[in-house]
Amino acid sequence: MDFKPSRMAVIAKHVEAFIREFFDQNPLSQIGLVIIKDGVAQSLTELGGSPEAHIKALMVKLGCAGDSSLQNALELVHDTLHKIPSYGHREVLILYSALSTCDPGDIMETIQKCKKAKLRCSVIGLSAEMFVCKHLCQETGGSYMVALDEVSLLGHFKELLLEHAPPPPALAEFAIANLIKMGFPQRAAEGSIAICSCHREAKVGEGYICPRCKARVCELPTECRFCGLTLVSSPHLARSYHHLFPIEPFTEVSARQLELSRVASKTCFSCRESLLTPGTNKAGPCAACTKCKQYFCLDCDIYIHESLHNCPGCESRRITPAAASATMS
């Protein structure tokens, strides 16, 4: 009870923020929640792409009791994740507050089994550092971090947690192109009544219709329970593309370089604001795209890389020839 109303409630709040951030940066990925208590590991939610479903289950069934068994948890996630195709990432993030683990067998064998299955296990500790957790992360290529003391635990824990939201770099041996069948379902007609394949209950005018088997699903992205087709929407694919192929970082341009440049206007190519410091008429800090060589202010640099995911200078170079040819025709 060192945090109010309880440590469990505070940590769950940060996990909720992590789930939302994870799906924002990984629109086509899936999450499954596992809880460890009473010496066993229980699957709280199956692998799925609905953040609201995970958060709802997280808030309803919170509880802690008995001993913690790290081996049972690893066995459960291994049985779930080893079926994931080779082009997917098999990641495990463990939030561990216990100071020991009560296991039914040799946990070292389980760790080697996870390593063989290419599971990347990371641990965020809420207490003292444990050798078995550190050994697990070293063997599987994950990271092991321990949150700081009570005064700074909340901010530091949230920071450590959100570091796992961005997608990790793909391993070269698994970065082979694969064709995946996907369906783009239509939204169900308003007022129509059908049984949802996710919850197996009748719903009115909600969800989407699978283009292959015409089954009803609640949310996207997901996998059709009947035909197995991956169901997504076009925004999900667009956001995934931006995160898989991000814009290269802009190079910093000093005030001296800007003054010597041949750019006459000395304005940001995106917002058209002046790159000169008000009142002094001297060049201020800015950044330049390595491809189109256009200059941008620092605010636009941040906006382009964090939100827009497209360089206005590069996009204008692509559009201009097409527009010119259309005019000539």
Side-chain angles (χ1 to χ4, degrees):
M1 302 296 293
D2 49 347
F3 297 108
K4 303 300 180 183
S6 68
R7 176 180 284 247
M8 180 71 76
V10 172
I11 299 304
K13 181 180 178 181
H14 290 313
V15 173
E16 177 185 353
F18 166 77
I19 292 175
R20 297 189 186 279
E21 181 67 19
F22 178 86
F23 282 112
D24 181 67
Q25 302 206 35
N26 306 267
L28 298 181
S29 296
Q30 296 181 334
I31 280 182
L33 300 180
V34 174
I35 55 176
I36 316 171
K37 64 178 182 178
D38 293 325
V40 297
Q42 302 173 358
S43 179
L44 188 62
T45 60
E46 299 293 335
L47 286 176
S50 172
E52 298 302 328
H54 294 303
I55 293 172
K56 182 179 179 180
L58 182 70
M59 296 305 176
V60 171
K61 299 182 180 180
L62 284 179
C64 55
D67 296 322
S68 173
S69 176
L70 188 59
Q71 183 184 15
N72 285 335
L74 292 176
E75 291 285 354
L76 177 58
V77 296
H78 174 271
D79 294 341
T80 303
L81 295 181
H82 85 280
K83 305 173 185 177
I84 302 297
S86 59
Y87 55 78
H89 291 281
R90 305 170 185 176
E91 292 185 273
V92 182
L93 177 59
I94 304 173
L95 310 181
Y96 208 71
S97 183
L99 290 171
S100 62
T101 174
C102 183
D103 302 319
D106 187 357
I107 190 174
M108 296 302 173
E109 294 182 0
T110 304
I111 292 176
Q112 292 303 316
K113 185 164 66 171
C114 292
K115 179 181 179 181
K116 186 177 180 181
K118 306 298 182 183
L119 266 65
R120 182 175 181 267
C121 302
S122 300
V123 180
I124 299 179
L126 301 175
S127 301
E129 181 179 299
M130 292 177 58
F131 169 78
V132 65
C133 294
K134 187 174 183 179
H135 179 72
L136 169 65
C137 297
Q138 290 175 344
E139 288 294 310
T140 59
S143 62
Y144 181 39
M145 300 294 292
V146 178
L148 298 177
D149 54 21
E150 294 181 11
V151 178
S152 54
L153 171 62
L154 296 182
H156 189 224
F157 173 76
K158 183 178 181 180
E159 179 183 341
L160 295 177
L161 194 58
L162 294 181
E163 286 180 358
H164 292 272
L171 299 177
E173 56 183 310
F174 298 124
I176 304 173
N178 290 273
L179 296 178
I180 307 173
K181 288 185 178 181
M182 290 187 176
F184 297 89
Q186 295 182 343
R187 184 178 291 274
E190 185 177 354
S192 62
I193 302 176
I195 297 178
C196 168
S197 61
C198 309
H199 304 90
R200 298 181 181 178
E201 58 184 33
K203 293 189 177 181
V204 181
E206 295 182 5
Y208 304 85
I209 300 175
C210 175
R212 176 186 287 175
C213 65
K214 308 304 179 184
R216 182 79 65 92
V217 295
C218 290
E219 296 179 337
L220 300 178
T222 187
E223 186 175 291
C224 181
R225 297 293 182 91
F226 293 101
C227 64
L229 183 65
T230 301
L231 305 177
V232 298
S233 63
S234 54
H236 290 139
L237 284 181
R239 286 164 52 198
S240 297
Y241 179 85
H242 294 323
H243 290 293
L244 290 174
F245 304 97
I247 303 176
E248 294 183 6
F250 291 168
T251 56
E252 185 177 354
V253 179
S254 64
R256 181 63 176 170
Q257 290 175 321
L258 183 61
E259 291 175 356
L260 296 177
S261 66
R262 297 180 180 179
V263 180
S265 61
K266 298 293 190 301
T267 59
C268 172
F269 185 82
S270 179
C271 66
R272 311 309 298 176
E273 290 290 333
S274 175
L275 296 175
L276 304 178
T277 305
T280 62
N281 215 23
K282 293 183 178 180
C286 62
C289 176
T290 56
K291 294 182 179 180
C292 65
K293 308 302 181 182
Q294 298 292 348
Y295 292 94
F296 299 91
C297 64
L298 298 184
D299 290 337
C300 287
D301 181 13
I302 296 174
Y303 174 72
I304 289 171
H305 284 87
E306 293 186 357
S307 301
L308 190 60
H309 302 295
N310 286 296
C311 173
C314 297
E315 293 300 321
S316 63
R317 292 174 61 182
R318 296 173 185 173
I319 295 174
T320 302
S325 63
T327 304
M328 292 294 293
S329 61

